[in-house]
């Protein structure tokens, strides 16, 4: 049995229990309208409106252009997430790439987060969710602890959650960044999805996050994205809850529940 069949079998198992597995889709590094962004939006647009999943688009505030606002005005299923400030690496030698590493002064980090949030609020207003996506999926714990005071309720990184309030991560990155910078391969992608599905069937509750980068896709990435999106949107064993629900976002003015 190939990996795609194994994954579908796990979705079938979820459907049989009447408890669909939760998924969500995040795409990073948007700043302006591009043919690649049009292509990404088109993948979602191909689906029936009733089955069209939400898309969390991580926008880099420092590079965001008003033209992006106009382009996304006709894509109501796309929500804006904050992707750092400038996607600039401030890590020192020996640290993983990060715009907000532990070695950088906390006041500088939080000032950048605030500047980025203000920029996106000015551009997108109600389209912006109070969710922070750190570049390279890497951010120091003190910065995470300071997000709530800046009005940010959600956090999205890569891999298993690390216990932060409002954290909803991604688990499958379809690009192999270290060597080929191309598609990781269909078998490898479905193998990872199968593993994540098995964890959920065994009791893990966090949604399974798919991570894409529209500006870096090769043709194999695009083909797989269409295949996976179509499968998940139409299978009774898969569900795409609203992003507000996944990140446990509160309405403005509601009391905080963060500890």
């Amino acid at each position: 049995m190939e990996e795609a069949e194994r994954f579908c079998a796990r979705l079938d198992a979820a459907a049989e229990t009447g408890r669909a597995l939760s998924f969500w889709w995040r795409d990073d590094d948007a700043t302006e309208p591009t043919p690649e962004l049009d292509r990404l939006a088109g993948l979602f647009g191909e689906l029936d409106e009733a089955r069209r999943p939400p898309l969390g688009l991580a926008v880099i505030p420092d590079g965001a252009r008003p033209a992006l606002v106009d382009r996304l005005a006709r894509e109501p299923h796309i929500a804006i997430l904050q992707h750092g400030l400038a996607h600039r690496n401030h890590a020192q030698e020996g640290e993983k790439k990060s715009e907000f590493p532990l070695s950088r002064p906390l006041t500088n980090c939080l000032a950048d987060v605030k500047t980025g949030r203000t920029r996106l609020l000015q551009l997108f207003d109600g389209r912006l969710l109070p969710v922070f996506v750190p570049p390279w999926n890497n951010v120091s714990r003190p910065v995470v602890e300071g997000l709530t005071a800046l009005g940010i309720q959600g956090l999205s990184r890569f891999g298993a959650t690390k216990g932060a309030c409002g954290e909803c991560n991604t688990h499958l990155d379809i690009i192999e960044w270290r060597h080929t910078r191309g598609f990781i391969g269909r078998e490898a992608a479905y193998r990872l999805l199968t593993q994540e599905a098995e964890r959920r069937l065994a009791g893990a509750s966090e949604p399974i996050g798919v991570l894409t980068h529209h500006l870096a896709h090769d043709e194999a990435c695009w083909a797989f994205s269409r295949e996976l999106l179509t499968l998940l949107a139409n299978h009774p064993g898969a569900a795409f809850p609203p992003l507000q629900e996944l990140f446990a976002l509160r309405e403005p003015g509601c009391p905080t529940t963060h500890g």
Side-chain angles (χ1 to χ4, degrees):
M1 181 184 293
E2 67 173 18
E3 290 299 334
E5 292 177 304
R6 293 181 189 277
F7 177 60
C8 287
R10 303 311 184 271
L11 294 180
D12 292 342
E16 290 172 3
T17 67
R19 184 177 63 88
L21 302 182
S22 294
F23 291 83
W24 78 291
W25 200 290
R26 193 186 100 203
D27 187 274
D28 287 2
D29 300 343
T31 57
E32 61 185 350
T34 61
E36 293 85 0
L37 183 60
D38 288 343
R39 192 169 182 179
L40 176 67
L43 294 182
F44 284 76
E46 292 173 0
L47 302 170
D48 292 339
E49 187 172 355
R51 296 180 178 274
R52 190 173 302 158
L55 169 63
L57 186 65
V59 175
I60 303 171
D62 202 41
R65 300 290 180 262
L68 182 62
V69 181
D70 297 335
R71 173 61 186 87
L72 296 179
R74 58 182 186 270
E75 308 289 351
H77 62 288
I78 297 180
I80 309 303
L81 315 178
Q82 180 181 345
H83 200 28
L85 172 62
H87 209 299
R88 183 175 298 122
N89 181 26
H90 291 289
Q92 295 185 0
E93 185 176 354
E95 290 184 311
K96 293 182 179 179
K97 282 186 175 181
S98 177
E99 190 168 15
F100 306 95
L102 186 61
S103 61
R104 191 178 178 210
L106 180 60
T107 53
N108 292 4
C109 291
L110 294 179
D112 277 4
V113 175
K114 182 177 180 179
T115 298
R117 177 164 167 75
T118 299
R119 167 71 173 161
L120 292 183
L121 282 171
Q122 292 171 342
L123 286 172
F124 293 99
D125 195 15
R127 295 289 295 276
L128 176 68
L129 296 186
V131 174
F132 188 70
V133 179
W136 298 285
N137 294 293
N138 190 17
V139 58
S140 72
R141 182 173 179 177
V143 174
V144 172
E145 293 172 346
L147 294 177
T148 302
L150 300 178
I152 296 174
Q153 304 172 25
L155 173 69
S156 182
R157 294 180 277 198
F158 184 83
T161 59
K162 299 176 178 63
C165 291
E167 185 173 10
C168 184
N169 290 346
T170 56
H171 306 87
L172 168 65
D173 187 337
I174 70 170
I175 295 178
E176 196 290 299
W177 292 101
R178 290 189 177 183
H179 304 290
T180 67
R181 298 184 69 85
F183 180 44
I184 65 171
R186 190 169 178 271
E187 287 292 290
Y190 277 118
R191 185 179 303 113
L192 286 168
L193 287 170
T194 298
Q195 293 169 356
E196 294 297 334
E198 288 175 344
R199 292 189 183 100
R200 304 315 183 276
L201 291 170
S205 60
E206 61 185 304
I208 300 171
V210 179
L211 176 58
T212 56
H213 293 76
H214 63 281
L215 293 174
H217 283 189
D218 57 18
E219 286 303 317
C221 284
W222 287 115
F224 179 76
S225 294
R226 173 180 281 108
E227 176 184 335
L228 180 61
L229 187 60
T230 301
L231 170 62
L232 295 178
N234 292 286
H235 198 292
F240 282 88
L243 297 185
Q244 291 86 345
E245 177 182 320
L246 295 185
F247 287 98
L249 302 182
R250 305 176 304 279
E251 293 295 327
C254 291
T256 180
T257 58
H258 287 190

